[in-house]
Amino acid sequence: MKSSALSGPVGKSLLIPVLTMIAGGAAGALLVTTLITDPDNGPVQEVNTAQMQETTATDDTVVAAAPPTETEEAVTTEILEKEADVAVAAYVAPAAQNLNELTKTVSVSKGDTLMKVLTRAGADRTESYEAITALNEIFDPRSLKIGQDVTLYFGIDEARESDDTAPSLIRVSLNEDVDRQLAAVRTPGEGFTAQETILELDRKMVRAGGIIQSSLFLSAAQAGIPTKTIVDLIRIFSYDVDFQREIQPGDSFEVYFERFADESGNILKEGSILWASMTLSGKEFSVYRYKTDDDGFTDYYDEKGRSVKKTLMRTPIDGARLTSGFGKRKHPTLGYTKMHRGVDFGARSGTPIMAAGNGTVEFAARNGGYGNYVRIRHNNEFKTAYAHMRKFAKGIRKGARVKQGQIIGYVGSTGRSTGPHLHYEVHKGGRQINPLSVKLPAGRKLDGKMLAAFKSHSDQIRQEIASVELETQLASAKTD
């Protein structure tokens, strides 16, 4: 079509109503550009019959407003063909989005913080900070575990792929547990928000046990009891049972504990031990898990409502060996005989040190030959002290309250020390005593209404146990 055809009366009468109809949209804009800039004798694209039939009633009315001549009809047909072609391009096949999603999964390494993990994966530091701040509402970043996976989702704009600008972080997710998934998600205009997804798992109670042949751990493992449950079982009885000297072949054990499975029956995790029993040399010891209403604490109690926990732990460190006892000895650095008013546990540098009991930190600082030193007041009679620490745990300072088993520091060799170890002291009435021979006071003893409530609870647990068959060989946990 020649451009001169649009300058005459007929061309104008046809062009104006058509352009008015489609103005304001992408199709109209494209059509105006095409008609005004179309070169002389420009090519005309063909449109199939189906496309022509999609022309609206309004289009038909506009075209039929005046009886067309043969020349006008040709011009009208050409305009309609162009409008139909534009409409199909604009509405039937819209342009693809430029935004693509890139996913990266990073495993937590030793010494990593969540910030290190995110920035190592390529996330912008400011965006990482915003995502971590959102996650703080539902997750403590300090609880990251070595080997834990963190997944990052980035938005990549194809139009800027050649730019040096880092891709935009749009989501960070991780699994805190098999049934708890956490995420920080970017919401347009609102920054990052925290999301928590809890999977519903089926709870199944299991009663298992066996005869001890060599050690409790080995016998329980051979019975198919999960390692986590065995460790919990040993910890529960560790206050009253000497596992080195009191266990004899032929002794027995039972444990009643939770297992959680998905809808397909796959075991995903083990829960708490609700009841456990050991029979040593014919004498049975049973304990029950119970939460006291007045303080909200959960503990294990014997048949008479006495807590199995003692006020203090004898060894506030796992996997350590006794290297020096309480009493007179030749000092390893001073070279002369001196009273050793504590016990030493040799362990690898960085091994966690636990608070021996509930209490308040009385001292947490450098203390001469003791090096990094912590002293905890447990009650009016007992205190414990920990020396030569490599460093203090976060939050451990004078006045801080700690719970039994809480990590307060890490093994080191600060002060007068020949190598990494923990020097541990127990103070009674202001005097240092032997931590290994002191008779430790018992924990809480229930009485009154609290004891009556516990008795009712333990009766109910025994009824449950009686209705569950004892398994001496648990099936292995199912996996996908």
Side-chain angles (χ1 to χ4, degrees):
M1 176 177 63
K2 296 183 181 296
S3 57
S4 59
L6 297 176
S7 59
V10 175
K12 290 181 181 179
S13 66
L14 292 171
L15 177 62
I16 293 173
V18 172
L19 292 181
T20 301
M21 174 189 68
I22 59 178
L30 182 56
L31 178 59
V32 170
T33 303
T34 302
L35 293 178
I36 297 211
T37 61
D38 190 27
D40 292 344
N41 300 317
V44 177
Q45 299 181 359
E46 294 184 359
V47 181
N48 61 37
T49 306
Q51 289 174 325
M52 288 296 294
Q53 290 176 346
E54 288 182 5
T55 307
T56 63
T58 303
D59 296 332
D60 294 335
T61 303
V62 171
V63 174
T69 65
E70 182 176 343
T71 302
E72 292 169 346
E73 187 173 33
V75 173
T76 302
T77 301
E78 186 173 353
I79 293 174
L80 290 175
E81 286 177 347
K82 286 185 176 290
E83 191 241 345
D85 188 51
V86 171
V88 171
Y91 299 106
V92 176
Q97 295 291 330
N98 285 331
L99 191 65
N100 284 340
E101 191 175 271
L102 174 66
T103 304
K104 290 185 180 180
T105 298
V106 183
S107 292
V108 177
S109 301
K110 184 177 180 180
D112 272 349
T113 62
L114 190 52
M115 176 63 79
K116 285 183 180 179
V117 171
L118 300 189
T119 54
R120 188 166 72 237
D124 175 77
R125 193 170 186 85
T126 300
E127 292 179 333
S128 298
Y129 176 79
E130 293 173 354
I132 293 171
T133 300
L135 276 176
N136 281 341
E137 299 177 12
I138 56 176
F139 176 68
D140 183 356
R142 294 173 298 178
S143 65
L144 277 178
K145 301 177 182 66
I146 295 176
Q148 187 172 6
D149 287 339
V150 180
T151 303
L152 298 83
Y153 302 81
F154 296 92
I156 306 295
D157 192 337
E158 290 180 346
R160 299 190 305 163
E161 278 187 348
S162 60
D163 293 351
D164 294 332
T165 305
S168 179
L169 183 65
I170 58 176
R171 178 184 174 95
V172 177
S173 66
L174 56 91
N175 290 345
E176 188 199 39
D177 205 341
V178 293
D179 60 343
R180 186 168 186 250
Q181 301 171 350
L182 309 177
V185 182
R186 182 191 294 278
T187 303
E190 297 182 13
F192 285 91
T193 55
Q195 289 185 357
E196 178 182 20
T197 303
I198 303 296
L199 303 180
E200 291 188 7
L201 301 180
D202 294 328
R203 178 176 179 259
K204 177 185 178 183
M205 297 306 304
V206 178
R207 178 189 175 195
I211 304 298
I212 300 174
Q213 301 298 336
S214 55
S215 71
L216 174 60
F217 190 96
L218 183 58
S219 298
Q222 290 173 342
I225 297 176
T227 300
K228 174 188 178 298
T229 304
I230 299 174
V231 171
D232 289 344
L233 178 64
I234 292 173
R235 184 177 291 117
I236 290 168
F237 284 107
S238 63
Y239 293 93
D240 295 301
V241 177
D242 185 337
F243 290 97
Q244 297 298 320
R245 293 180 292 183
E246 294 185 18
I247 300 291
Q248 304 294 328
D251 290 340
S252 62
F253 69 94
E254 281 191 38
V255 59
Y256 183 62
F257 66 100
E258 302 169 314
R259 290 190 115 175
F260 293 92
D262 61 19
E263 58 184 8
S264 299
N266 300 314
I267 301 298
L268 298 184
K269 70 173 185 176
E270 277 69 42
S272 301
I273 293 175
L274 302 191
W275 170 87
S277 175
M278 291 192 69
T279 301
L280 307 178
S281 300
K283 186 176 181 181
E284 182 180 346
F285 302 88
S286 293
V287 295
Y288 302 82
R289 190 172 191 267
Y290 184 68
K291 180 179 180 179
T292 44
D293 292 334
D294 56 349
D295 58 10
F297 282 110
T298 300
D299 201 352
Y300 289 90
Y301 295 84
D302 65 15
E303 299 276 1
K304 296 182 179 180
R306 296 174 301 196
S307 171
V308 299
K309 286 184 178 179
K310 302 298 184 286
T311 300
L312 302 177
M313 300 166 60
R314 292 192 186 277
T315 54
I317 184 172
D318 283 336
R321 66 190 187 282
L322 182 66
T323 56
S324 184
F326 185 91
K328 290 185 178 182
R329 64 165 187 173
K330 185 177 180 179
H331 198 279
T333 57
L334 298 177
Y336 57 82
T337 300
K338 189 177 185 293
M339 186 68 179
H340 188 230
R341 301 185 183 278
V343 293
D344 291 346
F345 295 100
R348 180 178 297 181
S349 181
T351 300
I353 300 168
M354 298 174 286
N358 297 340
T360 303
V361 176
E362 196 174 64
F363 190 99
R366 192 86 177 188
N367 187 15
Y370 281 118
N372 291 330
Y373 173 88
V374 169
R375 187 170 63 244
I376 301 173
R377 183 181 72 254
H378 302 285
N379 52 37
N380 293 332
E381 187 177 23
F382 285 94
K383 297 180 183 180
T384 54
Y386 316 76
H388 306 307
M389 290 184 177
R390 175 180 168 183
K391 64 177 181 178
F392 307 112
K394 190 169 184 178
I396 299 303
R397 58 186 177 276
K398 184 177 180 179
R401 291 190 59 81
V402 294
K403 293 182 178 181
Q404 188 175 64
Q406 178 180 336
I407 295 175
I408 59 172
Y410 303 88
V411 169
S413 189
T414 56
R416 266 198 309 269
S417 171
T418 57
H421 72 284
L422 167 66
H423 173 80
Y424 174 55
E425 296 179 355
V426 174
H427 300 202
K428 182 179 181 181
R431 186 172 58 90
Q432 292 146 313
I433 61 176
N434 189 347
L436 302 182
S437 62
V438 62
K439 185 177 181 180
L440 299 175
R444 180 174 187 178
K445 183 177 181 180
L446 304 178
D447 57 14
K449 292 182 179 180
M450 195 74 70
L451 178 60
F454 168 75
K455 291 286 188 182
S456 175
H457 171 78
S458 59
D459 288 343
Q460 180 181 346
I461 292 294
R462 280 196 297 270
Q463 291 176 13
E464 289 182 16
I465 294 169
S467 66
V468 177
E469 183 179 355
L470 174 65
E471 299 185 45
T472 56
Q473 180 59 58
L474 281 176
S476 299
K478 297 178 181 178
T479 55
D480 292 332

